[in-house]
Amino acid sequence: MTAKRRAGVLLHPTSLPGTDGIGSFGTELLRFLDFLAQSQFSLWQVLPLTPPAAGNSPYSAYSAFAGNHLLIDLQQLVDEGDLLPQAIQNNFPQEHVDFDQVTPWKEALLHKAAENFFNQGQTPRLQEFWHFCDTTYWLHDYALFKALKQHYHNKPWHRWPNELAFRKPAALEQASVKLGPEIGVQKYLQWQFYRQWHQVRGAAKERGIAIIGDLPIFVAHDSADVWCNQDLFLLDDKGKPTVVAGVPPDYFSATGQLWGNPLYDWEAMAQQGYVWWIARFRQMFDLFDQVRIDHFRGFEAAWHVPATAKTAAHGRWVPGPGAVFFDAVKASLGTLSFIAEDLGVITPEVEALRDRYNLPGMKILQFAFDSDAANPYLPHHHLPNSVVYTGTHDNDTTKGWFNALPAKTINRMYDYLGLPGTEPVQDLIRTALMSVAQTAIIPLQDLLELPTEARMNQPGVALGNWSWRYQTEQLTPKLADQYAGVVKLYGRN
């Protein structure tokens, strides 16, 4: 990633339009990339592409390495002969993702596609599939994990029989044979996900668009990662976390956020040379041009909450690996093309760790106007080596945010901006684009000036998140021309 002024759009692929009931790697994604190019945006930021576990959240995944099979484009499977055209017809709503309906329907079709693929016998595609299996080291463990989850009616791995929960080699070998067909299906899904994603990445590159990925610092307890690497996490002798991750009370929640993820045994990881993390980062840079590290501050210190706690209010900060970790990563992978999510409780030590590796931090304009001139999110505090956003996936849309502001904050905002206040969303977008920050990212909901109903996620609320989708007709040539002019005006084309 070169150090020049650039602008981009935040959109998770599930929010794309289309006929699968959920956004996918199909033709609508190519139309979206065309819109970005026509609008002079050169960056596309996504949320994690891993397979969601609890609450359909991309930040809680069954694997840090596998891809979300629900993003596979079914039409491509039809074109390749793995599905019949009539099989993918449906009447799902188009304005949002109904996960309860879409997930079982699409998973059944993907299983059928896998069965049809294997029944075709020897083909060049089968050879490609076996090459993927032979060269993807994490694949079998993940496929076995998913097959065992299905076999044991979705119970978490620590509630499986002990010989499987604690990975006795003879039990794993026996299960691999017994569950062979389902393991094959899971491998097929990952093969299709990765081949389709690499096509997407190629299409983005052809249009001059770089892709920013998102890496949650923590993983889910009920994941292939923890099951396969129990010695790298703070677990008891039954496989349960002794402490879990979260953050103390903050802007989003008066009692903090209790995420529930297990925490790392950094000493054990150091003894292994951080090989799991290095492999994870290598995988991310195979998929993306740049990576945002969610909760970057956890590498300096993480909020440890007793596993029995009901809220995150009574935890404690425990030091992380800090510079030793990043030195090891840099020695293996070279230049670190990361964005440090440095929101929340940020100490001088966190800032020093970020700056030691010249990592850009984040500036959120929705946080800028609720105090005085010392507010670090105000544009006069922005630095070139930073990324400015109107808001993130955890914020309300800018229109919804503005409509809920008290009059005092609105007056402060427009006193600062020196504007009449008639177009608040466009004013905040322009403020982001004119910032000295080298990178500006705008959520698509803000480009479309959508209200709160288009919000992607509300932290602390378990249901109703991650389901928003836009409609094809909303991305018009007129809108593309409008933003192309503004992006050029502020030197970000």
Side-chain angles (χ1 to χ4, degrees), residues 142-220:
Y142 170 73
L144 176 58
F145 172 84
K146 289 288 288 182
L148 285 166
K149 287 281 291 180
Q150 183 183 88
H151 182 73
Y152 289 108
H153 308 290
N154 210 38
K155 289 181 180 178
W157 62 263
H158 70 274
R159 293 176 58 193
W160 299 346
N162 279 350
E163 63 272 17
L164 289 169
F166 299 108
R167 297 181 56 80
K168 303 301 182 183
L172 295 181
E173 184 176 351
Q174 185 179 17
S176 294
V177 174
K178 181 180 179 180
L179 303 176
E182 179 60 24
I183 291 170
V185 169
Q186 295 298 327
K187 290 181 178 181
Y188 168 87
L189 299 186
Q190 291 305 305
W191 172 61
Q192 286 288 9
F193 172 92
Y194 276 97
R195 68 202 298 259
Q196 289 194 9
W197 176 253
H198 283 296
Q199 292 170 7
V200 168
R201 192 171 181 195
K205 187 175 182 179
E206 289 173 358
R207 292 161 174 79
I209 297 167
I211 304 177
I212 302 173
D214 197 322
L215 185 144
I217 186 173
F218 300 120
V219 297

Side-chain angles (χ1 to χ4, degrees), residues 393-396 455-461 465-466:
H393 65 277
D394 281 335
N395 293 99
D396 199 348
R455 181 173 184 162
M456 195 62 173
N457 179 51
Q458 187 170 352
V461 176
N465 294 317
W466 317 110

Side-chain angles (χ1 to χ4, degrees), residues 229-243:
N229 302 280
Q230 294 171 46
D231 57 325
L232 300 181
F233 295 86
L234 298 176
L235 308 176
D236 62 20
D237 58 3
K238 295 181 179 179
K240 296 181 180 180
T242 56
V243 286

Side-chain angles (χ1 to χ4, degrees), residues 34-41 426 430 433 447-448 474-489 493:
D34 286 338
F35 172 81
L36 293 187
Q38 291 160 12
S39 305
Q40 297 293 306
F41 290 112
Q426 289 301 316
R430 284 177 174 266
L433 294 175
L447 293 185
L448 299 175
Q474 290 178 285
L475 301 189
T476 64
K478 181 179 179 182
L479 191 68
D481 290 343
Q482 171 190 329
Y483 284 113
V486 181
V487 170
K488 290 178 182 177
L489 181 65
N493 56 309

